[in-house]
Amino acid sequence: RYLAVCPSLVLMSVSKPPPPHSHFPPSNPSSHLPLPPSSSSSTPPFAVGPPSPAVPPPPSPVKISMQEHFAINVCPGPILPIPQISDFFPRFHDYPIAPPPPREKKVLKDKDKDGDGNGEKDRKRDREQDENGEFADSDDDDTYLGTLEFNLLFDQENNCLHCTIHKAKGLKAMDSNGLADPYVKLHLLPGASKANKLRTKTLKNTLNPVWNETLIYHGITAADMTTKTLRLCVCDMDRLGRNEFIGEVRVALKKLKEGESKKYYMGLERIAQTREGNSQAVDHGAPVAEEERGRILVSLLYITEKSSLIVGIIRCAHLAAMDSNGYSDPFVKIVLQPNMGKKSKYKTSVKKKTLNPEFNEEFTYEVPHDQLAKKTLEISVWDYDLGMSNDFIGGVELGVNAKGERLKHWFECLKNKGKKVEYWHTLTQQGAPCSD
């Protein structure tokens, strides 16, 4: 009723522009939604009477200001907590954490369902292997560093210890590609040094290397077999840095019988590498032997038809290192005393950068057999230095005034004419000459 009486009031209320929707002041009044223009001839929407045949124009698109556009859906979001150091290192807690349960040893994998007959045989075999210092092949997870298979043979006649390195299995990965470049190096304890170091070739990118390589220690006597221990170390070669130690095994040579080839299959271990570990305890009551500077293999042969003594310098072993690089450049000098002039002095060739040189050179002295009993053969080993005086490594004297093996060697040469007699002799500093 009220609307029918006062239609002008309705038109006035509709034509009034609406308040702005944003708190930002409008930059342009035309940006708001415009209303269609009103005319006096148009019929109001709420007027009573027949509808007007005129069609209203379509609405124009909504226009908003730039300030209103950026003001829509602006929300800083929830405030996140600042990360704590304990979130990155979970082991730092204010309360104690219970330690993990101890690892349980695996029980026998294959159990005999029919009976324990085979189990008894396995236990017996394990006991025998423990007594012999051997270990059976096992795929147990406890073999973390890997296993090493090798053979040892002691040849007492030639004073040689043959070490055949067959293969390794399940080595620990040392490189970033999950593999390793393994090799095996051998030392004799006590007294590990470059003089008694042997090593195999290096195999690339494998955790199960197969070498099948034989390394020989020369100059090993029966006395050494009772006191020495063989150490076999498996290492990973690194061209850009220092070679890495994987694990090692040790075998007491006193358990090895002469002429017996014994096979070992042992698990690698990590034994603390200390200087004291390379030297065994010495009984204070026992006499201290003179310092050993190496060993030399000498052959003597007297030929009656030519009335000459043939002295052969075959090889040296475990020489003392005289150079700063840990090696020597050895050569051997021999002199038959009393001095017979230039014909009594001989010298071998020089072998570069080695502590186990092999010479295989022979020298002849023309001397009657009846005068050999009055002669003394002086053998000395030197380290060659260019432009400087040579360094004396060690020496040995053979003759009637010698003792022990040296005297025995000389007498056997005089007694067995036409027979070559070979002996290993220990080099000492006793009787060192004043100069080269």
Side-chain angles (χ1 to χ4, degrees):
R1 180 181 178 183
Y2 178 78
L3 293 177
V5 175
C6 302
S8 59
L9 296 178
V10 177
L11 294 176
M12 292 176 59
S13 62
V14 175
S15 62
K16 186 179 181 180
H21 299 282
S22 173
H23 55 275
F24 296 103
S27 60
N28 188 7
S30 64
S31 62
H32 295 286
L33 180 63
L35 294 177
S38 59
S39 62
S40 59
S41 62
S42 61
T43 306
F46 300 100
V48 180
S52 175
V55 179
S60 61
V62 179
K63 296 181 181 181
I64 59 175
S65 63
M66 187 63 66
Q67 290 83 353
E68 290 177 328
H69 173 73
F70 284 106
I72 295 175
N73 295 331
V74 176
C75 180
I79 299 177
L80 300 179
I82 300 176
Q84 303 295 325
I85 189 67
S86 59
D87 296 336
F88 300 97
F89 300 94
R91 62 179 178 273
F92 296 116
H93 293 282
D94 297 335
Y95 54 90
I97 301 178
R103 184 178 181 181
E104 297 181 358
K105 297 289 183 179
K106 290 187 177 181
V107 198
L108 292 175
K109 295 181 179 179
D110 300 330
K111 293 185 178 180
D112 191 4
K113 297 181 180 179
D114 299 336
D116 58 349
N118 295 335
E120 182 65 28
K121 294 180 182 179
D122 295 340
R123 287 190 291 270
K124 183 178 180 181
R125 184 176 66 253
D126 294 342
R127 286 195 299 269
E128 293 178 355
Q129 291 172 349
D130 292 341
E131 293 175 359
N132 296 333
E134 303 176 6
F135 297 88
D137 184 10
S138 174
D139 293 333
D140 195 283
D141 294 338
D142 294 342
T143 311
Y144 178 66
L145 299 176
T147 55
L148 182 65
E149 180 181 349
F150 58 96
N151 271 61
L152 296 180
L153 171 64
F154 175 55
D155 185 4
Q156 187 173 4
E157 182 179 356
N158 298 318
N159 295 104
C160 296
L161 176 63
H162 299 262
C163 309
T164 303
I165 311 299
H166 293 294
K167 61 182 179 179
K169 180 180 179 182
L171 296 180
K172 179 182 177 182
M174 305 299 292
D175 298 338
S176 58
N177 58 0
L179 300 174
D181 303 329
Y183 67 91
V184 181
K185 64 179 180 179
L186 285 68
H187 286 103
L188 286 176
L189 304 179
S193 63
K194 291 185 178 181
N196 56 40
K197 172 187 173 182
L198 299 176
R199 62 164 289 174
T200 65
K201 58 185 178 182
T202 302
L203 300 181
K204 298 289 186 179
N205 298 328
T206 178
L207 298 180
N208 300 282
V210 178
W211 290 283
N212 289 329
E213 189 173 346
T214 300
L215 308 175
I216 302 177
Y217 276 107
H218 296 277
I220 302 298
T221 62
D224 293 330
M225 296 296 293
T226 59
T227 58
K228 296 288 186 178
T229 299
L230 180 64
R231 180 175 69 190
L232 301 93
C233 301
V234 182
C235 302
D236 171 62
M237 190 186 74
D238 191 356
R239 291 184 178 274
L240 301 180
R242 189 175 182 180
N243 295 343
E244 296 178 302
F245 173 79
I246 299 179
E248 70 173 47
V249 297
R250 299 190 182 189
V251 179
L253 298 182
K254 62 182 178 181
K255 298 182 180 180
L256 191 64
K257 298 180 181 179
E258 190 272 331
E260 176 188 0
S261 179
K262 194 170 182 180
K263 187 174 183 179
Y264 295 84
Y265 202 104
M266 305 179 67
L268 298 177
E269 300 176 345
R270 283 190 176 272
I271 302 177
Q273 304 291 329
T274 57
R275 294 184 179 271
E276 292 76 6
N278 293 338
S279 59
Q280 296 177 351
V282 180
D283 187 6
H284 296 283
V288 179
E290 54 187 352
E291 183 183 4
E292 182 176 330
R293 309 286 293 177
R295 298 179 183 181
I296 185 171
L297 179 59
V298 181
S299 66
L300 297 179
L301 170 63
Y302 188 82
I303 301 178
T304 308
E305 293 78 5
K306 298 182 180 181
S307 297
S308 58
L309 174 66
I310 300 178
V311 180
I313 305 300
I314 302 177
R315 68 187 311 136
C316 296
H318 314 155
L319 294 180
M322 306 301 293
D323 296 339
S324 59
N325 59 4
Y327 294 96
S328 296
D329 302 326
F331 68 93
V332 181
K333 291 178 58 179
I334 55 176
V335 180
L336 188 62
Q337 299 286 3
N339 198 333
M340 299 169 53
K342 293 183 178 180
K343 295 183 179 181
S344 64
K345 297 181 180 181
Y346 291 100
K347 183 186 299 185
T348 67
S349 59
V350 178
K351 303 298 181 180
K352 294 290 186 179
K353 196 178 178 182
T354 178
L355 299 177
N356 298 279
E358 186 174 357
F359 298 99
N360 291 323
E361 300 182 25
E362 292 185 345
F363 307 94
T364 304
Y365 291 99
E366 295 181 359
V367 55
H369 185 268
D370 55 355
Q371 295 183 10
L372 281 180
K374 303 177 183 179
K375 299 290 184 179
T376 299
L377 183 65
E378 297 180 354
I379 303 175
S380 56
V381 183
W382 297 77
D383 170 53
Y384 175 77
D385 289 329
L386 181 62
M388 301 173 61
S389 60
N390 299 327
D391 300 323
F392 176 75
I393 298 179
V396 62
E397 293 184 359
L398 306 179
V400 293
N401 297 325
K403 297 180 181 180
E405 295 290 329
R406 295 167 290 179
L407 178 61
K408 183 179 178 181
H409 191 189
W410 189 256
F411 276 159
E412 285 191 11
C413 174
L414 299 180
K415 182 179 179 180
N416 303 310
K417 301 177 184 178
K419 179 182 178 181
K420 181 182 291 187
V421 184
E422 295 182 357
Y423 267 79
W424 280 95
H425 297 288
T426 301
L427 301 174
T428 62
Q429 285 186 329
Q430 183 179 3
C434 297
S435 61
D436 185 4

